[in-house]
Amino acid sequence: MEISVTLNTNPKAKPQDETALGFGKIFTDHMFLMNYNPQQGWHDARIVPFGDISLSPASTVLHYGAEIFEGMKAYRRKDGEIQFFRPQENFRRMNNSADRMCLPKLDEEFCLKALKKLVNIDKDWVPHTQGASLYIRPFLFGNDPFLGVHTVSNCIFCIILSPSGAYYKEGINPVKIMIETQDVRAVRGGTGYAKCGGNYAASMRAGEKAEQKGYAQVLWLDGVERKYVEEVGSMNVMFKISGTVVTPKLTGSVLPGITRMSCIALLKSWGVPVEERLISVEELAKAVKDGTLEEAWGTGTAAVVSPMGELNVDGVSYVVNGGKIGALTQKLYDELTGIQWGVKPDTFGWIEPLN
Ligand code: COI
């Protein structure tokens, strides 16, 4: 499929201070769009000026949340070249999410081609400053002007780009986490493993409550027994307990994170024992209390590796690793960001160059 290009004749000024970008607030001059219907399949692939999308007030996405998305990044290396980190994995996961949400599948190779074309057009927007990158948000939604609850016929796929800095204002500094005992994020058989907007919408009440109490994120428990730890905020979670890294296994209610799988591969390559298994909040509380919980961190595209400095269990706050980032958390962060920015060798073949 050809991709038509309409260039923006009124480009915006680029941000002056790349250290103050924040996350997801500024958008580039162009976006990629294509449409789907059962007769034509995906069609009308186009790069157009970034702007509002007009929808029927009856559009499926507005009523029933038929939407999935991805989060990925483009990085500018020291030599000025631009690269992506495992973008094929994002499009693969997007198709798994599409399957769960009954949305049409994408041609993964074509999506990567479209992404590269878009980033090439907006390449001057890829930040030059250390720690900042171009956050990429592909998303797909159902757009039938019909209020019946039914699988959709018309869909829109879009990619927007946002030069961004750290996801948390704390950056790589440890954040305070509260275990959420009331709301749950997902249940097995539900949509937990899919990256759909509704999962995030349903997480906001707990996030808000935690914030009001001075915590940055919540630690989610499983939705059935409320006994096992699943994710932290919008990230996967890892704990170093007595020298072993333990992370919740992918039971269906946990998002299969690309940063998660990359961290597991790195840890194993360093000879660090990794266990993907159920972790009860009781086990975690015991480890926090008896000091065998050596480090704890979240993993995700937006925040990369985010250390936890404090964990609130049953209303009591426990400090993890003296409230400081642990050595292994730091090593993972350095290695991953080193590979992503092309400062460290890409021995796993994770890097995809722009050109
Ligand atoms: C990401 O890490 O890219 C995510 O999807 C988290 C996001 C909801 C900000």
Side-chain angles (χ1 to χ4, degrees):
M1 191 185 352
E2 282 302 303
I3 302 172
S4 73
V5 176
T6 308
L7 291 179
N8 193 332
T9 52
N10 194 14
K12 291 172 282 207
K14 312 243 171 357
Q16 289 291 301
D17 180 5
E18 287 186 347
T19 61
L21 289 171
F23 175 82
K25 292 192 274 201
I26 299 165
F27 300 95
T28 66
D29 287 321
H30 298 88
M31 61 185 181
F32 173 82
L33 278 170
M34 69 178 172
N35 297 67
Y36 176 91
N37 65 40
Q39 297 74 37
Q40 293 167 282
W42 287 109
H43 63 280
D44 199 9
R46 58 207 188 273
I47 290 172
V48 293
F50 180 91
D52 295 349
I53 299 175
S54 149
L55 301 178
S56 161
S59 174
T60 332
V61 68
L62 300 177
H63 298 271
Y64 306 125
E67 191 264 359
I68 56 174
F69 69 96
E70 273 301 322
M72 56 217 279
K73 287 177 177 171
Y75 309 83
R76 188 183 294 281
R77 299 191 328 217
K78 280 215 176 82
D79 63 5
E81 293 298 312
I82 294 163
Q83 59 188 31
F84 305 96
F85 182 74
R86 313 188 78 177
Q88 299 86 349
E89 293 294 340
N90 289 90
F91 290 122
R92 185 174 308 156
R93 184 171 64 185
M94 195 155 199
N95 269 340
N96 287 337
S97 301
D99 187 56
R100 177 63 186 84
M101 301 300 286
C102 241
L103 292 166
K105 295 266 178 74
L106 294 154
D107 176 337
E108 296 166 25
E109 255 177 57
F110 176 77
C111 287
L112 185 56
K113 192 174 119 188
L115 173 63
K116 286 184 174 184
K117 197 168 172 110
L118 177 65
V119 174
N120 258 311
I121 290 173
D122 276 344
K123 64 176 181 295
D124 292 347
W125 285 88
V126 181
H128 298 73
T129 305
Q130 205 188 345
S133 57
L134 186 73
Y135 186 77
I136 299 162
R137 173 53 63 87
F139 59 106
L140 191 174
F141 59 92
N143 187 32
D144 285 343
F146 168 56
L147 295 182
V149 178
H150 195 270
T151 52
V152 289
S153 297
N154 293 280
C155 291
I156 294 180
F157 173 68
C158 182
I159 307 177
I160 54 174
L161 309 173
S162 173
S164 292
Y167 184 68
Y168 292 118
K169 63 175 181 354
E170 289 90 342
I172 184 73
N173 293 321
V175 293
K176 292 164 69 178
I177 305 291
M178 198 180 96
I179 294 183
E180 171 58 41
T181 48
Q182 196 184 6
D183 291 353
V184 295
R185 183 190 160 273
V187 289
R188 274 161 241 170
T191 57
Y193 70 90
K195 209 161 171 66
C196 62
N199 288 347
Y200 296 78
S203 78
M204 288 178 195
R205 182 170 76 172
E208 173 88 359
K209 202 171 72 184
E211 226 172 79
Q212 281 164 2
K213 293 187 175 163
Y215 292 85
Q217 288 281 322
V218 300
L219 186 58
W220 296 107
L221 301 183
D222 78 278
V224 179
E225 295 179 74
R226 303 196 184 205
K227 184 173 166 191
Y228 300 104
V229 171
E230 298 225 308
E231 290 189 23
V232 60
S234 49
M235 294 181 290
N236 294 114
V237 65
M238 297 188 173
F239 304 99
K240 182 170 170 242
I241 303 175
S242 303
T244 295
V245 172
V246 188
T247 190
K249 73 172 180 182
L250 302 178
T251 51
S253 49
V254 174
L255 187 84
I258 294 156
T259 311
R260 174 189 183 276
M261 75 163 121
S262 306
C263 284
I264 292 173
L266 283 173
L267 289 164
K268 287 188 174 167
S269 76
W270 297 334
V272 177
V274 180
E275 292 175 6
E276 292 180 67
R277 62 168 170 82
L278 298 178
I279 310 157
S280 70
V281 75
E282 205 183 327
E283 173 185 355
L284 190 64
K286 183 175 170 298
V288 177
K289 289 175 194 164
D290 68 17
T292 51
L293 176 68
E294 294 158 354
E295 300 181 37
W297 64 90
T299 66
T301 299
V304 194
V305 170
S306 175
M308 298 181 203
E310 196 179 309
L311 193 58
N312 185 296
V313 189
D314 299 332
V316 183
S317 264
Y318 296 87
V319 173
V320 182
N321 193 46
K324 299 197 183 69
I325 183 168
L328 191 60
T329 314
Q330 183 76 57
K331 187 174 173 183
L332 267 177
Y333 178 84
D334 291 345
E335 189 66 25
L336 214 50
T337 53
I339 296 169
Q340 289 168 338
W341 266 275
V343 177
K344 295 202 174 206
D346 171 31
T347 50
F348 289 90
W350 287 339
I351 293 303
E352 175 73 25
L354 175 60
N355 293 310

